[in-house]
Amino acid sequence: DIQMTQSPSSLSASVGDRVTITCRASQSISSYLNWYQQKPGRAPRLLIYAASSLQSGVPSRFSGSGSGTYFTLTISSLQPEDFATYYCHQSSSTPDTFGQGTKLEIK
Amino acid sequence: QVRLQQWGAGLLKPSETLSLTCAVYGGSFSGYYWSWIRQPPGKEPEWIGESNHSGGTNYNPSFKSRAALSVDASKNQFSLKLTSMTAADTGVYYCGRYTGYTYGYFDSWGQGTLVTVSS
């Protein structure tokens, strides 16, 4: 299975900050990388697919980049509703696997 | 806009079989893979398997011996059975729509079912 490793595991930031979360794959996955946001008690919500494509309805402050084994999710200006846990997900090879998550907390 | 609604028993005893069903409303049932994903408490999601509208299936090898996926296209529903449940199977189980002919991703999710395995 392809292992996905996110960093940091947790992050404290303030409203208006620019934050970047990284995700590394144990082998090349081209651009088969997606990002999700999850709030407590809720299902994950797709933010970014194919490494850099913004899902319909997702604010433009979210952006993704990368290819191969290194990927980033950037939130350009944190809003109060952005404090949540973020997961990367690879769909390059079966089984699909997820990163361990990055919990974004209010400073 | 597609909506997924799932149901099934949430409290099981060890060795029992989990049975969950997910109904798809407001969208096409064909052309997608319909998936089950579980999330242990405090951990990342884990893909269990998927089925298409005609019954074709793919499984995570970690679950293949215990999982059985099925579809009822006449009702726009798909189901999961997971046998020999243990405490390690406790978590929230989600159904989801897997989209994308080139780059696959889960773009719609059910509300989740909390499954607890305890004697």
Side-chain angles (χ1 to χ4, degrees), chain B residues 10-101:
Chain B
L11 181 60
L12 298 172
K13 291 181 167 48
S15 80
E16 291 187 334
T17 295
L18 172 68
S19 182
L20 298 174
T21 298
C22 185
V24 180
Y25 300 102
S28 173
F29 195 65
S30 61
Y32 300 95
Y33 271 90
W34 302 97
S35 300
W36 292 96
I37 305 110
R38 79 172 182 188
Q39 188 169 29
K43 297 193 68 178
E44 69 270 20
E46 185 175 21
W47 177 72
I48 298 172
E50 63 188 7
S51 53
N52 63 19
H53 71 284
S54 57
T57 55
N58 295 301
Y59 294 95
N60 184 330
S62 297
F63 295 94
K64 190 170 184 178
S65 62
R66 297 196 295 136
L69 275 59
S70 60
V71 298
D72 185 340
S74 68
K75 295 181 179 179
N76 283 9
Q77 295 178 2
F78 59 106
S79 299
L80 165 70
K81 290 190 186 298
L82 190 63
T83 63
S84 305
M85 295 286 283
T86 71
D89 294 311
T90 291
V92 178
Y93 286 70
Y94 295 99
C95 58
R97 187 177 77 171
Y98 193 76
T99 296
Y101 291 101

Side-chain angles (χ1 to χ4, degrees), chain A residues 4-6 23 86-90 97-101, chain B residues 43-45:
Chain A
M4 307 300 293
T5 304
Q6 292 180 229
C23 178
Y86 293 83
Y87 293 98
C88 60
H89 154 233
Q90 70 81 18
T97 49
F98 291 79
Q100 83 281 11
Chain B
K43 297 193 68 178
E44 69 270 20

Side-chain angles (χ1 to χ4, degrees), chain A residues 49-61:
Chain A
Y49 64 94
S52 61
S53 295
L54 191 67
Q55 172 70 347
S56 175
V58 174
S60 60
R61 63 181 179 273

Side-chain angles (χ1 to χ4, degrees), chain A residues 34-90:
Chain A
N34 311 305
W35 290 97
Y36 302 83
Q37 176 194 68
Q38 187 176 34
K39 296 182 178 180
R42 304 291 298 273
R45 171 198 179 198
L46 178 68
L47 300 175
I48 302 287
Y49 64 94
S52 61
S53 295
L54 191 67
Q55 172 70 347
S56 175
V58 174
S60 60
R61 63 181 179 273
F62 291 92
S63 64
S65 66
S67 67
T69 63
Y70 183 79
F71 302 87
T72 61
L73 172 71
T74 298
I75 310 172
S76 60
S77 178
L78 274 173
Q79 298 302 300
E81 61 268 28
D82 299 338
F83 292 95
T85 300
Y86 293 83
Y87 293 98
C88 60
H89 154 233
Q90 70 81 18

